[in-house]
Amino acid sequence: MDSNEIKIILVDDHTLFRTGLRELISMRDGYRVTGEASDGAEFLRILPMTAVDVVFMDIAMPVMDGGEATREALRLRPDLKVICLSMFGDESYYTRMVDAGAKGFLLKDSGIDEVFGAIDAVVSGGSYFSEALMSSLSQRLRSSESADVNNELSSREIEVLVGICRGSSTQEIADELFLSKRTVDVHRANLLEKTGCKNVASLVVYAIKNKLVDL
């Protein structure tokens, strides 16, 4: 096995879906599916003996769902990158998956280029929300009662937050706002502290729920 390959486990209770995704991934150099599981419990059984960098995790599965499996997997392997696989209508689960530690959110009918884009984003230390998913999530959260907006956020922090939610890199945000990368990193750290969010993914959900961004 090439040590430079990104190693992937597929966790989904639909065999045909796993097979199709595995075949598509195998067609591109630098990526390899090293394991598959039909539910969260099976995934946790194979995890200790399987080389893996990224996990594609279904949300709703029998025996053990994606949220519980993600939380337990990251307790065992904190460096693991989990990408949540979902369908329209699953939005009620997203906050739970964010809290569990998922770094990416992808619709099951996404194109293969977006699949690899999500993999590359989380492997490089970032987060990934598919554009269609963000639109759906935004509409759902905005239709519900929003939480109180944190009045401590400065206008500059909100500008940085908007950039984060749109998937802009630190450098892109810095260039747009005429700031240094270090200043953007400071604002990002302040945003996490002030909102009580654990990571960028939960920050995105917070921003939409509190109507701080218009995606």
Side-chain angles (χ1 to χ4, degrees):
M1 184 181 299
D2 187 346
S3 60
N4 293 322
E5 286 181 322
I6 296 175
K7 295 167 280 294
I8 302 161
I9 290 179
L10 308 178
V11 186
D12 192 285
D13 59 329
H14 293 94
T15 303
L16 284 176
F17 177 80
R18 294 199 316 270
T19 300
L21 185 55
R22 182 184 68 237
E23 292 301 316
L24 289 170
I25 290 173
S26 69
M27 296 172 65
R28 189 167 300 193
D29 292 338
Y31 305 83
R32 180 188 295 270
V33 174
T34 55
E36 296 182 39
S38 59
D39 60 65
E42 183 182 1
F43 161 63
L44 292 176
R45 286 196 295 271
I46 70 171
L47 180 59
M49 61 193 79
T50 307
V52 59
D53 302 301
V54 175
V55 178
F56 279 99
M57 182 73 71
D58 191 14
I59 295 177
M61 295 179 290
V63 185
M64 181 185 291
D65 66 21
E68 186 178 352
T70 296
R71 193 180 303 279
E72 179 62 18
L74 289 174
R75 186 184 68 80
L76 300 170
R77 290 278 305 274
D79 60 326
L80 206 58
K81 311 298 183 185
V82 177
I83 298 174
C84 169
L85 292 168
S86 69
M87 300 176 65
F88 282 123
D90 286 341
E91 292 90 340
S92 60
Y93 293 94
Y94 295 160
T95 300
R96 185 180 177 206
M97 291 300 293
V98 166
D99 290 342
K103 291 295 194 299
F105 293 80
L106 200 63
L107 286 171
K108 285 189 173 183
D109 61 355
S110 298
I112 190 60
D113 287 338
E114 187 169 17
V115 169
F116 287 114
I119 294 172
D120 293 342
V122 299
V123 167
S124 65
S127 299
Y128 188 88
F129 281 83
S130 75
E131 185 174 344
L133 194 55
M134 287 302 296
S135 176
S136 174
L137 179 59
S138 177
Q139 291 174 8
R140 184 183 182 93
L141 290 176
R142 286 176 182 280
S143 67
S144 64
E145 183 178 354
S146 65
D148 292 334
V149 175
N150 191 326
N151 292 324
E152 293 183 0
L153 297 186
S154 69
S155 58
R156 182 63 85 187
E157 286 167 347
I158 292 176
E159 288 175 335
V160 171
L161 180 56
V162 170
I164 291 172
C165 293
R166 289 176 177 167
S168 300
S169 67
T170 299
Q171 187 61 65
E172 289 169 339
I173 295 172
D175 291 343
E176 182 179 354
L177 300 179
F178 303 102
L179 301 171
S180 69
K181 287 181 65 176
R182 183 178 181 280
T183 299
V184 173
D185 285 335
V186 170
H187 285 311
R188 186 193 304 267
N190 288 340
L191 283 165
L192 291 171
E193 181 178 359
K194 288 182 177 182
T195 61
C197 294
K198 297 177 181 178
N199 50 48
V200 170
S202 57
L203 196 59
V204 171
V205 172
Y206 174 93
I208 298 172
K209 190 171 184 179
N210 288 284
K211 302 183 179 180
L212 296 174
V213 294
D214 184 14
L215 298 171

